[in-house]
Amino acid sequence: MKWAALLAGLFSGVIGAMGLGGGAVLIIYLALFTDTAQLKAQGINLLFFIPIAAAAVIVYSIKKQIKWKITLKIAAWGLLGTVLGLYFTDYFGGDITAKIFGGLLIVMGIFEIFGKKEKSVAPKRRK
């Protein structure tokens, strides 16, 4: 196995567990460096995400950092979005989906660079 693949998996897992979108890293790696088709890369990313998400939920739940009431509402809407996304991808195909995904990454990057900075209220650490 290549070192690049190991690093892409490790980096995707770390930032995915922090809720920062590790899938973007993994999909970009698979699509650009392994010649994996966009739709296949998305499927691999979804499988990769399951154990990462499960581990993160356990850790954050133990730390009491999950607000379950709102989380379940958001998850329900996320499931609806997933179904709509699947139909959208089937209808338009992988080429259009890849361009939309790339465009969204660019827009998100622009907002991150030029958007208003919110004051971060970091939780106090226990000693």
Side-chain angles (χ1 to χ4, degrees):
M1 183 174 281
K2 297 179 183 179
W3 280 103
L6 295 173
L7 291 174
L10 177 66
F11 189 60
S12 296
V14 169
I15 65 174
M18 292 189 299
L20 300 174
V25 173
L26 188 61
I27 291 172
I28 290 168
Y29 169 76
L30 290 170
L32 294 180
F33 299 106
T34 66
D35 293 326
T36 303
Q38 175 74 24
L39 293 177
K40 193 171 194 174
Q42 288 173 217
I44 292 168
N45 177 63
L46 291 173
L47 285 173
F48 180 85
F49 180 73
I50 293 169
I52 302 300
V57 166
I58 291 168
V59 170
Y60 285 111
S61 184
I62 289 170
K63 291 182 174 186
K64 307 234 185 282
Q65 293 181 340
I66 297 176
K67 295 180 181 180
W68 286 104
K69 189 174 181 180
I70 193 167
T71 299
L72 294 174
K73 287 179 185 177
I74 293 170
W77 284 99
L79 288 173
L80 176 63
T82 300
V83 171
L84 292 173
L86 287 170
Y87 285 115
F88 179 81
T89 302
D90 282 343
Y91 183 76
F92 288 106
D95 291 338
I96 298 292
T97 305
K99 290 175 183 170
I100 291 171
F101 179 72
L104 286 173
L105 288 176
I106 291 169
V107 169
M108 287 172 39
I110 290 169
F111 275 105
E112 285 296 315
I113 292 170
F114 298 110
K116 288 184 179 180
K117 302 290 182 205
E118 293 183 18
K119 289 187 178 182
S120 176
V121 180
K124 293 181 182 178
R125 292 186 177 203
R126 296 181 201 170
K127 292 183 179 180

